PDB file of all heavy atoms in Angstrom:
ATOM      1  N   LYS A   1      92.948  84.140  89.318  1.00 96.00           N
ATOM      2  CA  LYS A   1      92.069  83.116  88.645  1.00 96.00           C
ATOM      3  C   LYS A   1      92.886  81.906  88.392  1.00 96.00           C
ATOM      4  O   LYS A   1      92.407  80.753  88.561  1.00 96.00           O
ATOM      5  CB  LYS A   1      91.542  83.745  87.327  1.00 96.00           C
ATOM      6  CG  LYS A   1      90.660  82.778  86.545  1.00 96.00           C
ATOM      7  CD  LYS A   1      89.416  82.436  87.255  1.00 96.00           C
ATOM      8  CE  LYS A   1      88.512  81.575  86.379  1.00 96.00           C
ATOM      9  NZ  LYS A   1      87.246  81.135  87.065  1.00 96.00           N
ATOM     10  N   GLU A   2      94.135  82.053  87.977  1.00 96.00           N
ATOM     11  CA  GLU A   2      94.973  80.837  87.690  1.00 96.00           C
ATOM     12  C   GLU A   2      95.203  80.063  89.054  1.00 96.00           C
ATOM     13  O   GLU A   2      95.071  78.876  89.074  1.00 96.00           O
ATOM     14  CB  GLU A   2      96.329  81.299  87.160  1.00 96.00           C
ATOM     15  CG  GLU A   2      97.365  80.164  87.011  1.00 96.00           C
ATOM     16  CD  GLU A   2      98.710  80.624  86.708  1.00 96.00           C
ATOM     17  OE1 GLU A   2      98.945  81.769  86.163  1.00 96.00           O
ATOM     18  OE2 GLU A   2      99.684  79.966  87.114  1.00 96.00           O
ATOM     19  N   PHE A   3      95.475  80.764  90.104  1.00 97.00           N
ATOM     20  CA  PHE A   3      95.732  80.131  91.369  1.00 97.00           C
ATOM     21  C   PHE A   3      94.480  79.305  91.796  1.00 97.00           C
ATOM     22  O   PHE A   3      94.574  78.334  92.488  1.00 97.00           O
ATOM     23  CB  PHE A   3      96.150  81.087  92.445  1.00 97.00           C
ATOM     24  CG  PHE A   3      97.417  81.892  92.112  1.00 97.00           C
ATOM     25  CD1 PHE A   3      97.549  83.186  92.553  1.00 97.00           C
ATOM     26  CD2 PHE A   3      98.432  81.332  91.427  1.00 97.00           C
ATOM     27  CE1 PHE A   3      98.686  83.957  92.241  1.00 97.00           C
ATOM     28  CE2 PHE A   3      99.617  81.959  91.160  1.00 97.00           C
ATOM     29  CZ  PHE A   3      99.772  83.321  91.572  1.00 97.00           C
ATOM     30  N   SER A   4      93.335  79.828  91.530  1.00 97.00           N
ATOM     31  CA  SER A   4      92.094  79.184  91.964  1.00 97.00           C
ATOM     32  C   SER A   4      91.884  77.799  91.315  1.00 97.00           C
ATOM     33  O   SER A   4      91.020  77.020  91.834  1.00 97.00           O
ATOM     34  CB  SER A   4      90.860  80.122  91.700  1.00 97.00           C
ATOM     35  OG  SER A   4      90.620  80.163  90.337  1.00 97.00           O
ATOM     36  N   SER A   5      92.650  77.514  90.290  1.00 97.00           N
ATOM     37  CA  SER A   5      92.442  76.217  89.644  1.00 97.00           C
ATOM     38  C   SER A   5      93.457  75.189  90.173  1.00 97.00           C
ATOM     39  O   SER A   5      93.399  73.984  89.746  1.00 97.00           O
ATOM     40  CB  SER A   5      92.686  76.371  88.124  1.00 97.00           C
ATOM     41  OG  SER A   5      94.051  76.730  87.844  1.00 97.00           O
ATOM     42  N   LEU A   6      94.345  75.644  91.141  1.00 97.00           N
ATOM     43  CA  LEU A   6      95.350  74.635  91.669  1.00 97.00           C
ATOM     44  C   LEU A   6      94.622  73.593  92.504  1.00 97.00           C
ATOM     45  O   LEU A   6      93.654  73.786  93.174  1.00 97.00           O
ATOM     46  CB  LEU A   6      96.307  75.466  92.541  1.00 97.00           C
ATOM     47  CG  LEU A   6      97.272  76.394  91.833  1.00 97.00           C
ATOM     48  CD1 LEU A   6      97.979  77.246  92.853  1.00 97.00           C
ATOM     49  CD2 LEU A   6      98.292  75.649  90.949  1.00 97.00           C
ATOM     50  N   LYS A   7      95.260  72.333  92.392  1.00 97.00           N
ATOM     51  CA  LYS A   7      94.694  71.228  93.172  1.00 97.00           C
ATOM     52  C   LYS A   7      95.785  70.539  93.953  1.00 97.00           C
ATOM     53  O   LYS A   7      96.951  70.787  93.740  1.00 97.00           O
ATOM     54  CB  LYS A   7      94.081  70.265  92.196  1.00 97.00           C
ATOM     55  CG  LYS A   7      92.815  70.775  91.454  1.00 97.00           C
ATOM     56  CD  LYS A   7      92.284  69.785  90.475  1.00 97.00           C
ATOM     57  CE  LYS A   7      90.958  70.256  89.914  1.00 97.00           C
ATOM     58  NZ  LYS A   7      91.124  71.518  89.135  1.00 97.00           N
ATOM     59  N   ALA A   8      95.411  69.730  94.877  1.00 98.00           N
ATOM     60  CA  ALA A   8      96.321  68.979  95.695  1.00 98.00           C
ATOM     61  C   ALA A   8      97.379  68.326  94.875  1.00 98.00           C
ATOM     62  O   ALA A   8      97.033  67.652  93.832  1.00 98.00           O
ATOM     63  CB  ALA A   8      95.694  68.008  96.604  1.00 98.00           C
ATOM     64  N   GLY A   9      98.695  68.456  95.079  1.00 98.00           N
ATOM     65  CA  GLY A   9      99.814  67.895  94.381  1.00 98.00           C
ATOM     66  C   GLY A   9     100.380  68.841  93.394  1.00 98.00           C
ATOM     67  O   GLY A   9     101.575  68.629  92.951  1.00 98.00           O
ATOM     68  N   ASP A  10      99.724  69.878  93.010  1.00 98.00           N
ATOM     69  CA  ASP A  10     100.201  70.970  92.161  1.00 98.00           C
ATOM     70  C   ASP A  10     101.366  71.728  92.837  1.00 98.00           C
ATOM     71  O   ASP A  10     101.430  71.713  94.098  1.00 98.00           O
ATOM     72  CB  ASP A  10      99.217  71.916  91.638  1.00 98.00           C
ATOM     73  CG  ASP A  10      98.195  71.301  90.660  1.00 98.00           C
ATOM     74  OD1 ASP A  10      98.555  70.254  90.129  1.00 98.00           O
ATOM     75  OD2 ASP A  10      97.147  71.850  90.487  1.00 98.00           O
ATOM     76  N   THR A  11     102.230  72.370  92.055  1.00 97.00           N
ATOM     77  CA  THR A  11     103.332  73.184  92.627  1.00 97.00           C
ATOM     78  C   THR A  11     103.246  74.596  92.149  1.00 97.00           C
ATOM     79  O   THR A  11     102.653  74.812  91.045  1.00 97.00           O
ATOM     80  CB  THR A  11     104.711  72.566  92.355  1.00 97.00           C
ATOM     81  OG1 THR A  11     104.907  72.492  90.966  1.00 97.00           O
ATOM     82  CG2 THR A  11     104.798  71.131  92.941  1.00 97.00           C
ATOM     83  N   LEU A  12     103.856  75.479  92.876  1.00 96.00           N
ATOM     84  CA  LEU A  12     104.058  76.825  92.443  1.00 96.00           C
ATOM     85  C   LEU A  12     105.209  77.516  93.087  1.00 96.00           C
ATOM     86  O   LEU A  12     105.722  77.045  94.125  1.00 96.00           O
ATOM     87  CB  LEU A  12     102.741  77.680  92.589  1.00 96.00           C
ATOM     88  CG  LEU A  12     102.360  78.094  94.006  1.00 96.00           C
ATOM     89  CD1 LEU A  12     101.426  79.277  93.942  1.00 96.00           C
ATOM     90  CD2 LEU A  12     101.725  76.933  94.729  1.00 96.00           C
ATOM     91  N   GLU A  13     105.725  78.533  92.392  1.00 97.00           N
ATOM     92  CA  GLU A  13     106.815  79.297  92.985  1.00 97.00           C
ATOM     93  C   GLU A  13     106.395  80.387  93.913  1.00 97.00           C
ATOM     94  O   GLU A  13     105.446  81.099  93.586  1.00 97.00           O
ATOM     95  CB  GLU A  13     107.699  79.894  91.858  1.00 97.00           C
ATOM     96  CG  GLU A  13     108.419  78.880  90.969  1.00 97.00           C
ATOM     97  CD  GLU A  13     109.508  78.148  91.706  1.00 97.00           C
ATOM     98  OE1 GLU A  13     110.289  78.831  92.376  1.00 97.00           O
ATOM     99  OE2 GLU A  13     109.625  76.953  91.597  1.00 97.00           O
ATOM    100  N   VAL A  14     106.993  80.540  95.116  1.00 97.00           N
ATOM    101  CA  VAL A  14     106.634  81.533  96.026  1.00 97.00           C
ATOM    102  C   VAL A  14     107.891  82.160  96.655  1.00 97.00           C
ATOM    103  O   VAL A  14     108.934  81.477  96.685  1.00 97.00           O
ATOM    104  CB  VAL A  14     105.631  81.076  97.076  1.00 97.00           C
ATOM    105  CG1 VAL A  14     104.428  80.387  96.572  1.00 97.00           C
ATOM    106  CG2 VAL A  14     106.383  80.184  98.101  1.00 97.00           C
ATOM    107  N   VAL A  15     107.762  83.420  97.121  1.00 96.00           N
ATOM    108  CA  VAL A  15     108.780  84.030  97.877  1.00 96.00           C
ATOM    109  C   VAL A  15     108.142  84.517  99.151  1.00 96.00           C
ATOM    110  O   VAL A  15     107.100  85.085  99.210  1.00 96.00           O
ATOM    111  CB  VAL A  15     109.464  85.194  97.135  1.00 96.00           C
ATOM    112  CG1 VAL A  15     110.424  85.939  98.063  1.00 96.00           C
ATOM    113  CG2 VAL A  15     110.159  84.716  95.921  1.00 96.00           C
ATOM    114  N   GLY A  16     108.813  84.273 100.338  1.00 95.00           N
ATOM    115  CA  GLY A  16     108.334  84.774 101.622  1.00 95.00           C
ATOM    116  C   GLY A  16     109.091  84.215 102.771  1.00 95.00           C
ATOM    117  O   GLY A  16     110.105  83.478 102.581  1.00 95.00           O
ATOM    118  N   PRO A  17     108.673  84.551 103.983  1.00 96.00           N
ATOM    119  CA  PRO A  17     107.686  85.481 104.290  1.00 96.00           C
ATOM    120  C   PRO A  17     108.155  86.909 104.016  1.00 96.00           C
ATOM    121  O   PRO A  17     109.349  87.221 104.263  1.00 96.00           O
ATOM    122  CB  PRO A  17     107.407  85.243 105.728  1.00 96.00           C
ATOM    123  CG  PRO A  17     108.686  84.765 106.322  1.00 96.00           C
ATOM    124  CD  PRO A  17     109.314  83.954 105.213  1.00 96.00           C
ATOM    125  N   LEU A  18     107.309  87.803 103.580  1.00 94.00           N
ATOM    126  CA  LEU A  18     107.656  89.163 103.246  1.00 94.00           C
ATOM    127  C   LEU A  18     106.932  90.164 104.164  1.00 94.00           C
ATOM    128  O   LEU A  18     105.881  89.919 104.639  1.00 94.00           O
ATOM    129  CB  LEU A  18     107.324  89.433 101.775  1.00 94.00           C
ATOM    130  CG  LEU A  18     108.059  88.623 100.767  1.00 94.00           C
ATOM    131  CD1 LEU A  18     107.472  88.822  99.342  1.00 94.00           C
ATOM    132  CD2 LEU A  18     109.499  88.907 100.769  1.00 94.00           C
ATOM    133  N   GLY A  19     107.555  91.352 104.290  1.00 93.00           N
ATOM    134  CA  GLY A  19     106.975  92.396 105.095  1.00 93.00           C
ATOM    135  C   GLY A  19     107.195  92.182 106.576  1.00 93.00           C
ATOM    136  O   GLY A  19     107.701  91.236 107.014  1.00 93.00           O
ATOM    137  N   ASN A  20     106.622  93.152 107.320  1.00 93.00           N
ATOM    138  CA  ASN A  20     106.633  93.154 108.822  1.00 93.00           C
ATOM    139  C   ASN A  20     105.232  92.803 109.302  1.00 93.00           C
ATOM    140  O   ASN A  20     104.234  93.344 108.785  1.00 93.00           O
ATOM    141  CB  ASN A  20     107.049  94.461 109.302  1.00 93.00           C
ATOM    142  CG  ASN A  20     108.554  94.775 108.961  1.00 93.00           C
ATOM    143  OD1 ASN A  20     109.391  93.980 109.401  1.00 93.00           O
ATOM    144  ND2 ASN A  20     108.780  95.879 108.276  1.00 93.00           N
ATOM    145  N   GLY A  21     105.121  91.808 110.180  1.00 95.00           N
ATOM    146  CA  GLY A  21     103.895  91.447 110.729  1.00 95.00           C
ATOM    147  C   GLY A  21     103.408  92.284 111.937  1.00 95.00           C
ATOM    148  O   GLY A  21     103.978  93.321 112.260  1.00 95.00           O
ATOM    149  N   PHE A  22     102.400  91.790 112.596  1.00 97.00           N
ATOM    150  CA  PHE A  22     101.863  92.502 113.727  1.00 97.00           C
ATOM    151  C   PHE A  22     102.657  92.250 114.992  1.00 97.00           C
ATOM    152  O   PHE A  22     103.080  91.126 115.289  1.00 97.00           O
ATOM    153  CB  PHE A  22     100.416  91.997 114.000  1.00 97.00           C
ATOM    154  CG  PHE A  22      99.423  92.474 113.038  1.00 97.00           C
ATOM    155  CD1 PHE A  22      98.888  91.484 112.031  1.00 97.00           C
ATOM    156  CD2 PHE A  22      98.860  93.669 113.008  1.00 97.00           C
ATOM    157  CE1 PHE A  22      97.922  91.891 111.128  1.00 97.00           C
ATOM    158  CE2 PHE A  22      97.869  94.060 112.117  1.00 97.00           C
ATOM    159  CZ  PHE A  22      97.468  93.176 111.159  1.00 97.00           C
ATOM    160  N   PRO A  23     102.944  93.320 115.771  1.00 95.00           N
ATOM    161  CA  PRO A  23     103.667  93.071 117.039  1.00 95.00           C
ATOM    162  C   PRO A  23     102.720  92.486 118.027  1.00 95.00           C
ATOM    163  O   PRO A  23     101.557  92.863 118.067  1.00 95.00           O
ATOM    164  CB  PRO A  23     104.111  94.498 117.420  1.00 95.00           C
ATOM    165  CG  PRO A  23     103.080  95.404 116.723  1.00 95.00           C
ATOM    166  CD  PRO A  23     102.762  94.673 115.465  1.00 95.00           C
ATOM    167  N   LEU A  24     103.125  91.512 118.847  1.00 96.00           N
ATOM    168  CA  LEU A  24     102.343  90.873 119.738  1.00 96.00           C
ATOM    169  C   LEU A  24     102.508  91.508 121.172  1.00 96.00           C
ATOM    170  O   LEU A  24     103.576  91.747 121.540  1.00 96.00           O
ATOM    171  CB  LEU A  24     102.610  89.338 119.833  1.00 96.00           C
ATOM    172  CG  LEU A  24     102.548  88.676 118.487  1.00 96.00           C
ATOM    173  CD1 LEU A  24     102.901  87.180 118.645  1.00 96.00           C
ATOM    174  CD2 LEU A  24     101.134  88.784 117.824  1.00 96.00           C
ATOM    175  N   GLY A  25     101.355  91.782 121.806  1.00 93.00           N
ATOM    176  CA  GLY A  25     101.375  92.343 123.129  1.00 93.00           C
ATOM    177  C   GLY A  25     100.484  91.654 124.093  1.00 93.00           C
ATOM    178  O   GLY A  25      99.835  90.660 123.765  1.00 93.00           O
ATOM    179  N   LYS A  26     100.326  92.164 125.286  1.00 94.00           N
ATOM    180  CA  LYS A  26      99.452  91.536 126.333  1.00 94.00           C
ATOM    181  C   LYS A  26      98.238  92.391 126.690  1.00 94.00           C
ATOM    182  O   LYS A  26      97.405  92.037 127.472  1.00 94.00           O
ATOM    183  CB  LYS A  26     100.290  91.329 127.597  1.00 94.00           C
ATOM    184  CG  LYS A  26     101.487  90.384 127.452  1.00 94.00           C
ATOM    185  CD  LYS A  26     101.002  88.992 127.278  1.00 94.00           C
ATOM    186  CE  LYS A  26     102.232  87.983 127.225  1.00 94.00           C
ATOM    187  NZ  LYS A  26     101.806  86.542 127.012  1.00 94.00           N
ATOM    188  N   GLN A  27      98.127  93.546 125.992  1.00 95.00           N
ATOM    189  CA  GLN A  27      97.014  94.490 126.263  1.00 95.00           C
ATOM    190  C   GLN A  27      95.695  93.954 125.691  1.00 95.00           C
ATOM    191  O   GLN A  27      95.683  93.202 124.682  1.00 95.00           O
ATOM    192  CB  GLN A  27      97.363  95.878 125.722  1.00 95.00           C
ATOM    193  CG  GLN A  27      98.561  96.525 126.386  1.00 95.00           C
ATOM    194  CD  GLN A  27      98.784  97.876 125.735  1.00 95.00           C
ATOM    195  OE1 GLN A  27      99.142  97.981 124.543  1.00 95.00           O
ATOM    196  NE2 GLN A  27      98.749  98.976 126.511  1.00 95.00           N
ATOM    197  N   LYS A  28      94.652  94.439 126.334  1.00 97.00           N
ATOM    198  CA  LYS A  28      93.294  94.087 125.791  1.00 97.00           C
ATOM    199  C   LYS A  28      93.153  94.578 124.303  1.00 97.00           C
ATOM    200  O   LYS A  28      93.422  95.794 124.062  1.00 97.00           O
ATOM    201  CB  LYS A  28      92.171  94.718 126.626  1.00 97.00           C
ATOM    202  CG  LYS A  28      90.784  94.397 126.189  1.00 97.00           C
ATOM    203  CD  LYS A  28      89.793  95.004 127.162  1.00 97.00           C
ATOM    204  CE  LYS A  28      88.349  94.731 126.762  1.00 97.00           C
ATOM    205  NZ  LYS A  28      87.404  95.359 127.702  1.00 97.00           N
TER     206      LYS A  28
END
């Protein structure tokens, strides 16, 4: 709810990127 009030120019602290993402392949 707090994040939803953020507007252009505001700042916040973040950490990332975290975790493992999707492996990319060539299959259908």
Side-chain angles (χ1 to χ4, degrees):
K1 178 65 175 176
E2 175 191 331
F3 300 146
S4 71
S5 67
L6 292 169
K7 295 178 174 58
D10 290 342
T11 60
L12 72 161
E13 293 290 317
V14 307
V15 173
L18 298 171
N20 293 301
F22 289 103
L24 304 180
K26 298 291 186 180
Q27 295 176 299
K28 183 179 180 181

